């Protein structure tokens, strides 16, 4: 392993830390926002004590979500930059330098970016950046492309892009960091999926009650 990955490089550990930090950050931030947003769904006259992010933006859930979107997006760019910096100092491996491996990076990269960009387009800004946590819910679940080919196209697409970069530059360390990305996303989904499910289940319950009231 030691000639595949140079663990003595600080940049490798910094890149690993940023990969782990990002989904951790947005889950903590969004769950903070949702604590009150879910209360809002059940108690119409709820007071917003914990709505930290939303409060920062003058109590407007949509602005709060946009602020989080800009932050998550910037953190993502920074994480990608740190990843490239880390790979630059890592050894290449001859097996990864074969044209077959190198050029397989192109369809992987295109597939990854297609999944990320089309899911952003399908969800919109608030849908992409955990708007439902702020109480900005979608009317219906999105089932159009790319959600008909992947359960989590944003995460799968992003992971593919990391892998493509590793293969393009022939860096085993990149493959290792891609594995870390996959783990970080799968842990994030284990948090997010039940949370999102709960938010929508609550909404549907309120809708049913509302209909009965009419
Ligand atoms: C997903 O949707 C796209 C267009 O909306 C369609 O072309 C494609 O065949 C669908 N794929 C699957 C697996 O259903």
């Amino acid at each position: 392993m030691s000639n595949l990955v140079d663990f003595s490089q600080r940049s490798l550990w910094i890149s690993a830390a940023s990969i782990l930090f990002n989904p951790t950050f947005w889950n903590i931030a969004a769950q903070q926002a949702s604590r009150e947003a879910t209360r809002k769904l059940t108690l119409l006259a709820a007071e917003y004590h914990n709505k930290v992010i939303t409060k920062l933006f003058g109590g407007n859930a949509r602005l709060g979500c946009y602020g989080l979107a800009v932050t998550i997006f910037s953190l993502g760019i920074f994480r990608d930059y740190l990843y490239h910096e880390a790979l630059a100092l890592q050894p290449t491996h001859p097996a990864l330098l074969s044209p077959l491996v190198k050029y397989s990076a192109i369809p992987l990269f295109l597939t990854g970016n297609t999944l990320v960009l089309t899911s952003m387009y399908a969800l919109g800004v608030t849908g992409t950046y955990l708007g439902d946590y702020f109480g900005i819910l979608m009317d219906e679940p999105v089932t159009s492309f790319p959600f008909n080919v992947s359960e989590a196209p944003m995460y799968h697409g992003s992971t593919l892009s990391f892998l493509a970069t590793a293969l393009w530059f022939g860096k085993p360390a990149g493959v290792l960091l891609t594995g870390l990305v996959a783990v970080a996303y799968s842990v994030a989904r284990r948090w997010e999926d039940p949370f999102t499910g709960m938010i929508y289940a609550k909404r549907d319950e309120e809708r049913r009650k509302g209909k009965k009231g009419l």
Side-chain angles (χ1 to χ4, degrees):
M1 199 71 174
S2 59
N3 50 351
L4 293 179
V5 178
D6 183 354
F7 288 103
S8 72
Q9 295 292 341
R10 233 164 69 109
S11 57
L12 179 77
W13 298 99
I14 293 175
S15 172
S18 82
I19 285 168
L20 293 177
F21 175 79
N22 283 14
T24 310
F25 164 78
W26 76 62
N27 268 288
I28 290 172
Q31 298 214 1
Q32 184 74 15
S34 86
R35 208 164 292 164
E36 276 307 318
T38 41
R39 203 171 298 170
K40 186 167 91 182
L41 289 172
T42 43
L43 302 168
L44 285 169
E47 284 206 346
Y48 306 147
H49 293 302
N50 297 332
K51 217 171 188 178
V52 171
I53 300 176
T54 306
K55 254 191 192 145
L56 281 176
F57 292 90
N60 184 319
R62 195 162 288 274
L63 277 181
C65 185
Y66 288 155
L68 184 66
V70 170
T71 311
I72 293 176
F73 189 79
S74 311
L75 282 172
I77 303 264
F78 189 50
R79 177 195 57 181
D80 293 351
Y81 163 78
L82 292 173
Y83 178 62
H84 278 89
E85 290 289 295
L87 291 197
L89 295 174
Q90 287 294 321
T92 52
H93 192 274
L96 293 184
L97 289 175
S98 76
L100 186 68
V101 172
K102 188 175 176 78
Y103 291 108
S104 72
I106 297 173
L108 286 178
F109 187 78
L110 293 176
T111 307
N113 276 275
T114 303
L115 287 176
V116 170
L117 294 175
T118 53
S119 52
M120 284 177 119
Y121 181 77
L123 292 177
V125 173
T126 56
T128 301
Y129 293 103
L130 306 172
D132 34 23
Y133 283 49
F134 287 83
I136 308 165
L137 303 194
M138 316 202 72
D139 286 336
E140 299 292 336
V142 178
T143 53
S144 61
F145 184 84
F147 292 89
N148 65 348
V149 296
S150 161
E151 270 188 359
M154 197 86 63
Y155 289 160
H156 293 154
S158 168
T159 309
L160 282 180
S161 300
F162 272 92
L163 181 61
T165 306
L167 297 183
W168 180 256
F169 294 110
K171 307 285 187 176
V175 178
L176 183 68
L177 288 173
T178 301
L180 191 62
V181 170
V183 169
Y185 283 157
S186 107
V187 171
R189 282 190 63 200
R190 214 162 291 173
W191 274 85
E192 286 164 19
D193 291 355
F195 220 86
T196 311
M198 181 197 73
I199 292 170
Y200 280 90
K202 265 209 160 76
R203 193 270 306 268
D204 291 345
E205 194 184 308
E206 291 308 307
R207 272 187 177 167
R208 273 195 301 278
K209 278 189 201 155
K211 276 199 184 122
K212 272 187 202 149
L214 284 175

